[in-house]
């Protein structure tokens, strides 16, 4: 099966798209993807344009995936730019539907910002008790 390509200059996303055709077991990708999924993924600075959310949305559509729910605060990266603090959700868990069906209650939480401008992610395959 030949994957349907994304724009040529999206090398990273095209590579993941190709891997998706090879990996036939439930799949979860966790890490810093440096992309926004929606305007709520950013706090501070200039507003998010619709084109800034294109890569993740299109990739999710092509592999039948979504971003896993996040408990607590939404942002995983922060920086100070021109005297203003910016926050963004750049780190996430991308899950295909087959994986999400196995771990329907899975979610992400993350730690504090310490020695990095990113905070760590913690994947839980069941929700925390209330």
């Amino acid at each position: 099966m030949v994957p349907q390509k994304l724009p040529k200059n999206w090398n990273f996303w095209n590579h993941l798209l190709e891997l998706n055709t090879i990996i036939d077991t439930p799949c979860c990708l966790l890490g810093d993807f440096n992309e926004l999924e929606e305007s709520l993924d950013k706090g501070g600075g200039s507003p998010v344009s619709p084109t800034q959310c294109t890569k993740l949305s299109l990739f999710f559509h092509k592999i039948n995936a979504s971003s896993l729910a996040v408990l607590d605060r939404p942002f995983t990266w922060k920086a100070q730019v021109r005297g203003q603090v910016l926050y963004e959700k750049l780190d996430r868990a991308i899950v295909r539907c087959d994986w999400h069906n196995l771990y329907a209650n899975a979610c992400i939480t993350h730690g504090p910002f310490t020695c990095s401008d990113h905070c760590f992610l913690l994947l839980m395959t069941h929700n925390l008790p209330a």
Side-chain angles (χ1 to χ4, degrees):
M1 177 177 159
V2 176
Q4 188 178 358
K5 294 284 187 179
L6 296 166
K8 265 191 169 182
N9 60 340
W10 294 10
N11 295 334
F12 173 73
W13 298 103
N14 278 310
H15 179 69
L16 289 181
L17 192 61
E18 288 176 28
L19 288 176
N20 184 63
T21 64
I22 297 167
I23 300 169
D24 62 353
T25 57
C27 185
C28 171
L29 303 170
L30 186 71
D32 174 7
F33 293 96
N34 248 1
E35 296 292 341
L36 303 175
E37 181 179 358
E38 59 184 349
S39 61
L40 296 174
D41 287 348
K42 183 177 181 183
S46 58
V48 176
S49 73
T51 56
Q52 287 179 280
C53 303
T54 303
K55 287 182 184 175
L56 272 180
S57 300
L58 191 53
F59 179 72
F60 288 169
H61 176 74
K62 293 212 178 276
I63 70 163
N64 198 18
S66 62
S67 193
L68 205 55
V70 177
L71 299 178
D72 55 40
R73 71 181 185 280
F75 305 117
T76 62
W77 172 87
K78 71 174 181 176
Q80 190 158 4
V81 178
R82 291 188 284 285
Q84 184 177 17
V85 179
L86 304 178
Y87 293 93
E88 293 183 355
K89 179 182 177 185
L90 300 178
D91 310 86
R92 64 185 70 246
I94 296 174
V95 298
R96 286 193 325 207
C97 286
D98 55 357
W99 188 94
H100 201 260
N101 290 338
L102 291 174
Y103 302 100
N105 294 322
C107 61
I108 292 289
T109 188
H110 40 76
F113 293 103
T114 54
C115 59
S116 173
D117 56 353
H118 291 262
C119 56
F120 69 84
L121 300 180
L122 176 63
L123 170 65
M124 296 179 294
T125 54
H126 63 283
N127 288 333
L128 291 172

